[in-house]
Amino acid sequence: MAAVENERELTSTLSLGLRSIDVPGEISQAEIFLQKTDASIKSIIDEVCAPGSKKAMLVIHRGPAEGSRFLLDSDQISIGRSPESDIFFDDVTVSRKHARIERSNNEFAILDSQSLNGTYVNSISIAKQVLHMGDQLQIGKFHALFFGNSHIKSSGEK
């Protein structure tokens, strides 16, 4: 018998596929999203991003639940596969308590909660990261854009 009964089984997670790489001069995913979206969604994003606003928004732009929008308007927002999460992502690639977003003053930061598959901001694995307008978040199969803090006009111009 090759395996020893007392040894712990080790598991590992592989991520197969290519993550996008931002190239200087390329149009960002947030700008592409704003160019393709309708006027009613643009006006909501403009309101959320208005100077002095203490709100932000996540928009799922790729993966399950594409097009879903989540208003970030409290100091702590939990993200996970648990139905008790403020943002509920029902997929096995998401941990029950995957991450949380914290607001401090007008600044939002995402913190990974030691999830199995990790939390990514702009294709980089993070433990904690302050979010900026247009940042791309990946939690499991869910790819979201962050709108808040600074403002990109709805036409896609900076």
Side-chain angles (χ1 to χ4, degrees), residues 75-138:
D75 291 337
Q76 294 263 343
I77 299 107
S78 60
I79 303 171
R81 197 177 73 233
S82 169
E84 289 84 33
S85 298
D86 298 316
I87 298 176
F88 173 55
F89 288 155
D90 189 15
D91 190 86
V92 296
T93 61
V94 178
S95 297
R96 284 182 177 83
K97 294 181 179 181
H98 197 101
R100 69 183 185 278
I101 295 176
E102 294 180 348
R103 177 179 64 186
S104 177
N105 298 320
N106 289 340
E107 193 170 78
F108 290 84
I110 187 163
L111 296 89
D112 184 76
S113 299
Q114 298 180 334
S115 63
L116 180 62
N117 290 328
T119 301
Y120 296 82
V121 176
N122 300 324
S123 300
I124 299 170
S125 179
I126 58 93
K128 180 178 181 178
Q129 176 74 43
V130 173
L131 297 172
H132 301 285
M133 181 68 169
D135 279 349
Q136 295 182 70
L137 282 67
Q138 181 182 350

Side-chain angles (χ1 to χ4, degrees), residues 6-7 13 27 31 33 45-46 48 51 67 76 80 96 106 109-110 126 128 138 149:
N6 293 336
E7 283 188 36
T13 302
I27 297 175
E31 291 169 329
F33 174 81
I45 291 171
D46 285 342
V48 166
Q76 294 263 343
R96 284 182 177 83
N106 289 340
I110 187 163
I126 58 93
K128 180 178 181 178
Q138 181 182 350
N149 292 344

Side-chain angles (χ1 to χ4, degrees), residues 8-26:
R8 293 176 51 199
E9 182 179 320
L10 298 176
T11 60
S12 60
T13 302
L14 296 175
S15 178
L16 301 175
L18 299 175
R19 299 196 192 282
S20 64
I21 299 172
D22 289 332
V23 177
E26 236 182 59

